[in-house]
Structure formats: structure tokens, C-alpha cells
Amino acid sequence: MDDQNNKKGFDDFFRKNEEGHGSADNSESVNDSAQPISNESSEQPAKPSYYYSYGPYKANSQEGGNPSASGYGSEKPKLIQDQPYGNTHTHDTQAQASSVEEVNVQSDSTMESERARSQSPMQSQIRTFTPSPQSSKGPWQVREPRRTSFKAIFSSFLAGVLVVGSLMYTADLNNWFTKEAALTSNTQSSGTGSTASAGTTSNGGAATVADRPDNIAKLFETASPAVVKIETFVNTAKRNNSNNMLDDSFFRQFFGDDYPGTTQPDAGQKNEEGNMQQSGIGTGFFFDSTGYILTNQHVIGESDQIKVIVQGYDKPFTAELLGSSYDLDLAVLKVTGDKAFPTLPLGNSDTINIGDWVVAIGNPYGFDHTVTVGVLSAKERPIDIPDTQGARKYEHLLQTDASINPGNSGGPLLNVNGEVVGINTAVSSQAQGIGFAIPTSTIQDVLENLKNNKTIPKPAAPYIGAELQDVTADIAKQLGMDKVEGSIVRNVYYNSPAYLAELQQFDVIVGIDGKKYANTQALIDQIKTKKVGDKIELNILRKGSAMNLKVEIGDKNTSGAQ
């Protein structure tokens, strides 16, 4: 009977209730109709069986390889609802039915009915299900972002601005980030300006940098009256007749004053003012209230007359040249007035630092009292400027990017305190923003000598008094030298240290104190490092023989060498 149940087609599982599969509770009718169904199905071709089960898979339904143990031959397929974990009631019932079937294989129909009833799986109780209002969107719902109103956003923004602004004000007031460093403004009693002091942090680094000074207008108002405009003139008539041989007193004895071509003495004095021609414009400043003016020597160098225009006076003053120095390019003038003149104090150029602000006042191209501002770009600059009298060799100059042009020469270079730290002297014509000034450290050493028209002593210039030249291959061959080295002596000045040490022409200096030098310039530079009075030993070659000469370093400016 069990084998016949397994051969039923799939149509039998879906037979309607009127064919005998009505109520699940009437188990008698189910058993009575099982045999006709089996006979009827035996006449039909075998059809595949499909079992539909919605629930956990029951592995014990086919244990032992007996397909009749399932007991589903006379039953309709049932929908099995998932049970919570731990509910094994249906599984136990089926296991019990399988055991009873194996023991009572040969029993009568009554036992089969009981076995069939016990084998039928107990249907689980169906739980009620109430759909939610949002069931159409699926079991998983995405939480929609909460919208924030504009009022809340604007209120948060204002609160943030208030908090950040309060913190910034408090930090600036208490110097939270600058530690001990701060910019301090110190207004001078004369109103010249302010000083910027930059403190340092605990680790030694610079804490803050001074901003551009905001007292330039006040500084210019205070310093400008002490700055003067200098105009130089030359007597064209005098210069044109300076080469006239007939104006010489010796020839006047023979030809007299009335001879054609000679200049009348009285006429020269009368026409001197009318023949004056302006030759240059420069700048200067009062450093003494009695009328002493400091400027550059090249401003008034070859002039016959010097006029000084002072702010607040209607007429220019005629200045007197007291003292000047061509090497230092400095000059002092003197004018006489009926009252004291405004002055500028001389500061210390050694205390100013590279990067500090500086102010230049002058008369570039005749534009009176022009002020320019810049920073100190460098210190200790040496430059050479050729002119009609030779070449000026400047040393220890200050470099600035404050605009300096022709006409600024002799004007003051001021710090933010209104003190003079240099005299504007030169500008590079091949670049922009490169100007030079003579530092006050150089000026103060010679200022009194210039005021009193005294000779300014020149600094010592170490030398030995010999002209040297590099030894070439031809010279070495002529002198019979094994290799090209040293410096050959071309000339020895009379009464010089080299002359007194018996250094001779065509001697070859190969070293000093046992140390050799690559060329003549290196040898000269080593001599200049010595002090006047020091003694050195020259290592020389004379006619192929090595010799040593002791020479005492002399001063070129005071030596009697010719």
C-alpha cells in the first residue's frame, strides 16, 4: 500500500474536496478512499511527484531509503509555517510514526488506520499577521534625514561668529600666541617717530616682525627743515681764460694789461657774478645749529661758488667750504644766519639691523625735499666709482632699496627714530633699488677734522714696496726654473721695506714664511693682512738658488718710498 502511494501522480495532490479529500479531521473517509485511488492511479502512466513545503527541511523523512515512510500518499500537501527555534513537535511526531510502522508491518487494517493517524504530521498553529501601514515599502525602511530649518542654521552661524570673535579678541588682548613679544611704539619728544621692538620666544626664535612704520609723515615734518638744497656754480670766464698764456704775470711785464687778449683785473671781479653757471645740485643737512652742514665731497668738488637753500628763508645762503676728504667723499660747509638752524641728530649705524626700515630725504633731479622709504638691504659693502680725479674706493657702505637718484647725494638716511644713520652717496645705474650710503660710524671719526679743516689721517696700508707679476712659462724658461711658480719682481721702490731688505729685480717670490701661494694676487692679499711693523720671511729664487729674506711690513701712506 505504501508503494502504491508513492506512484501517485501530482494531480492527486491537488484533487478537490468533493472527490473525498475534504476535512482533515475525518480520518476514516481518508483511509477508506485510499484503495480506489491507488487502483485508479495504477492504470495511469507514472508522473513525477512534486512536494511543496514552506518551512525547515526534514532530513528524517527519507532515512533508511524507504520512500513509503513519508506517509503522504493519502494526504494533501500542507503549508508548514516556520516555527521559532527550539520547536521540534512536528519532527518528534514524524519520528514516532516511523518507529510504529517498522514494528507493525503485518498488523490488520485497524492498526494501519491508527498508524496512519499517528503518522500524519501535526499542523502548527498559524500565527496571525497584521500588515503595517508602510508594508508596501518593504520590511527594511531607510530613515529619512531630518530637515533643519534656515532659522536654526542662521542662529548657529551667529553663535559661532560670536564665540570665535570673542576668542580672537581675548587672544589678542592677552598675547596668547605671541608670548612676551609685542610691538611697542615709543614717540620721541621731538615727534620724530617710533621704535619697533621685536621680542623673542622662549626657544630663542623671533616672535614677531615690525610692520611698516606709520609715523613717516610725522618724521618727515620734523626732519625736513634741517635738510638743505645745495647748488654749485662755476665761473665760465675764469675757466676759459685759465689756459691763456698772456694772463700770466711774467708776460704782463712785457705786454702790459692793455694788450689784446689779456683780461682786465677789474673786469674779472665785476663780471664774476655774471659769468657764474650752475654745475650741479645736491643735498646736505645741518648737524650743528650754528650753521655747519654735512654733504658729499663730489657734490661741491670743482665748484667756484656754493649756494645753500634753507627751508623757511627767502634767499639762499653763500656757503664756505671748511674741509673735505676725497677718499671718504665727505665735506663740511658753513653758513651764517641770524638765528639757530634746525638740526638732525647723528645716530649709530652699528646698531641698525638688516631689514630695518629707513627713510631718505633729498632733492633728486631738483625736486625739493623728496622722501622715499625702504629697508636696509645690506651692510659693509665695498664699491669703486671712477671719476675725473681717479677712482673712489668706498668701504663699509650701507645698502638700501629706498629710492636714491642724482640730487640725493649728501642727503640723510634716517632710521624710524629720525636719527641719521648714513649719507646717501651712490646708486647703481644698472639696477633698481640698489643705493648706497656712507655710515655714521665712518663720519663721526673724521667730523671734527672736517669742521676745523684739518688733514684727515689715512688708515695704515701695509705693503713691502715691490711690483710683482705672475711667472709664465716663458719667464720660467729664461730663468732656468724647473716649473712655473711664484711671482717675479719687476721693480723695487727706493727706500721701501723691500729695498731695505735687499730684494732685487728678477727675484722670484715663491712663498711667505714657508707657505706657497698660487698667484701674485694671493701673495699681495696675504701681505695686506699683516700689521705695520710685522716681520715676514720671503722665500725667493735668485739665479736658480733658493734664499730667504726678512722684510718688515711698512705703511704706504707714511713711507718715504718713491
Side-chain angles (χ1 to χ4, degrees):
M1 180 177 64
D2 296 334
D3 296 335
Q4 295 296 328
N5 289 337
N6 289 332
K7 295 180 181 179
K8 289 189 298 183
F10 66 92
D11 294 334
D12 296 335
F13 289 99
F14 299 96
R15 192 179 302 273
K16 296 182 179 180
N17 293 333
E18 57 266 17
E19 295 179 2
H21 297 279
S23 174
D25 297 335
N26 191 359
S27 59
E28 294 292 338
S29 62
V30 173
N31 294 327
D32 293 341
S33 61
Q35 185 66 32
I37 295 173
S38 177
N39 296 331
E40 183 178 350
S41 62
S42 63
E43 299 175 358
Q44 296 177 356
K47 298 181 180 179
S49 298
Y50 294 89
Y51 294 87
Y52 294 86
S53 176
Y54 294 86
Y57 170 70
K58 304 299 186 297
N60 61 352
S61 62
Q62 296 183 7
E63 289 181 2
N66 187 7
S68 63
S70 61
Y72 293 142
S74 61
E75 295 290 332
K76 292 193 300 182
K78 297 181 176 56
L79 299 178
I80 302 174
Q81 188 179 13
D82 293 343
Q83 297 295 330
Y85 291 122
N87 187 1
T88 59
H89 179 71
T90 303
H91 181 273
D92 295 339
T93 304
Q94 292 179 355
Q96 181 179 2
S98 299
S99 300
V100 172
E101 181 181 354
E102 293 177 359
V103 176
N104 300 302
V105 174
Q106 304 298 330
S107 301
D108 55 4
S109 61
T110 304
M111 295 298 294
E112 291 180 0
S113 299
E114 293 179 357
R115 181 169 59 81
R117 285 195 301 268
S118 63
Q119 188 177 4
S120 300
M122 183 179 294
Q123 184 176 2
S124 302
Q125 183 179 0
I126 299 176
R127 293 176 295 179
T128 60
F129 174 74
T130 303
S132 62
Q134 299 180 355
S135 61
S136 60
K137 296 184 180 180
W140 300 97
Q141 301 295 326
V142 179
R143 185 175 183 180
E144 297 182 357
R146 184 179 179 183
R147 296 183 179 180
T148 306
S149 64
F150 174 77
K151 183 177 180 181
I153 296 176
F154 187 71
S155 301
S156 301
F157 172 75
L158 292 181
V161 170
L162 182 61
V163 172
V164 173
S166 301
L167 291 175
M168 292 175 63
Y169 175 77
T170 306
D172 182 64
L173 187 64
N174 297 326
N175 293 324
W176 285 357
F177 302 105
T178 57
K179 302 295 181 182
E180 300 296 333
L183 297 179
T184 59
S185 178
N186 181 21
T187 303
Q188 303 295 328
S189 59
S190 60
T192 56
S194 64
T195 59
S197 61
T200 56
T201 59
S202 59
N203 57 4
T208 184
V209 179
D211 294 331
R212 181 166 179 161
D214 57 356
N215 64 327
I216 301 300
K218 187 66 176 177
L219 188 152
F220 174 75
E221 181 182 353
T222 304
S224 181
V227 179
V228 300
K229 180 179 180 180
I230 299 176
E231 295 179 347
T232 58
F233 299 86
V234 294
N235 189 343
T236 56
K238 180 179 179 181
R239 291 179 182 271
N240 291 335
N241 296 327
S242 60
N243 295 326
N244 190 353
M245 183 178 62
L246 297 177
D247 286 336
D248 188 86
S249 59
F250 176 77
F251 287 94
R252 285 179 179 271
Q253 296 178 2
F254 296 94
F255 299 100
D257 295 336
D258 297 333
Y259 188 82
T262 59
T263 303
Q264 300 296 327
D266 296 338
Q269 294 178 0
K270 292 178 181 179
N271 297 330
E272 183 176 357
E273 293 291 336
N275 294 331
M276 287 295 177
Q277 182 178 352
Q278 185 174 345
S279 59
I281 298 175
T283 309
F285 64 92
F286 288 106
F287 66 92
D288 192 307
S289 61
T290 58
Y292 289 94
I293 300 171
L294 185 62
T295 186
N296 286 130
Q297 189 273 339
H298 73 263
V299 172
I300 49 88
E302 298 180 356
S303 62
D304 296 321
Q305 189 180 66
I306 304 172
K307 295 288 186 179
V308 177
I309 300 174
V310 181
Q311 191 175 13
Y313 290 84
D314 297 333
K315 294 182 179 181
F317 293 88
T318 300
E320 175 187 3
L321 176 60
L322 296 182
S324 64
S325 172
Y326 175 85
D327 296 329
L328 299 178
D329 197 11
L330 296 174
V332 171
L333 309 178
K334 178 71 167 62
V335 296
T336 303
D338 54 357
K339 59 181 180 180
F341 295 99
T343 61
L344 289 177
L346 295 179
N348 187 358
S349 60
D350 294 335
T351 60
I352 190 170
N353 298 318
I354 296 175
D356 288 350
W357 291 99
V358 290
V359 179
I361 303 177
N363 306 291
Y365 293 104
F367 294 100
D368 298 355
H369 294 268
T370 299
V371 59
T372 56
V373 181
V375 298
L376 186 67
S377 303
K379 301 172 72 173
E380 300 293 331
R381 292 294 197 199
I383 61 173
D384 295 341
I385 300 179
D387 59 10
T388 57
Q389 299 183 22
R392 298 178 191 266
K393 296 183 178 181
Y394 297 92
E395 295 180 351
H396 317 297
L397 295 182
L398 303 177
Q399 179 182 334
T400 179
D401 67 345
S403 296
I404 296 176
N405 294 285
N408 277 108
S409 295
L413 185 68
L414 308 171
N415 59 17
V416 292
N417 295 328
E419 299 173 339
V420 179
V421 294
I423 296 179
N424 302 320
T425 300
V427 62
S428 175
S429 60
Q430 300 177 352
Q432 294 181 352
I434 300 180
F436 301 96
I438 301 174
T440 53
S441 58
T442 301
I443 298 171
Q444 291 177 342
D445 294 337
V446 298
L447 191 58
E448 289 299 323
N449 290 337
L450 294 175
K451 287 177 62 177
N452 299 319
N453 196 18
K454 293 182 179 179
T455 302
I456 299 175
K458 296 181 180 181
Y463 90 125
I464 61 173
E467 295 181 6
L468 305 178
Q469 176 185 343
D470 289 338
V471 174
T472 63
D474 293 338
I475 295 176
K477 183 178 180 180
Q478 293 178 8
L479 297 178
M481 298 175 58
D482 297 334
K483 56 182 178 179
V484 179
E485 63 176 350
S487 302
I488 187 172
V489 179
R490 297 177 54 187
N491 188 26
V492 178
Y493 295 116
Y494 177 75
N495 206 26
S496 66
Y499 177 85
L500 299 177
E502 298 183 353
L503 185 67
Q504 298 179 8
Q505 190 179 21
F506 303 123
D507 286 347
V508 177
I509 303 176
V510 295
I512 298 176
D513 295 331
K515 182 179 179 180
K516 294 184 178 181
Y517 295 90
N519 50 50
T520 301
Q521 188 59 46
L523 185 69
I524 295 175
D525 292 341
Q526 177 62 23
I527 293 174
K528 289 183 177 180
T529 61
K530 302 296 182 179
K531 296 181 180 179
V532 176
D534 290 348
K535 294 182 179 180
I536 61 175
E537 188 175 64
L538 297 179
N539 310 126
I540 68 171
L541 294 175
R542 178 179 296 174
K543 297 180 181 181
S545 300
M547 299 178 59
N548 294 325
L549 296 179
K550 291 186 178 180
V551 181
E552 182 178 351
I553 301 296
D555 186 359
K556 187 177 181 179
N557 296 326
T558 60
S559 176
Q562 299 178 356

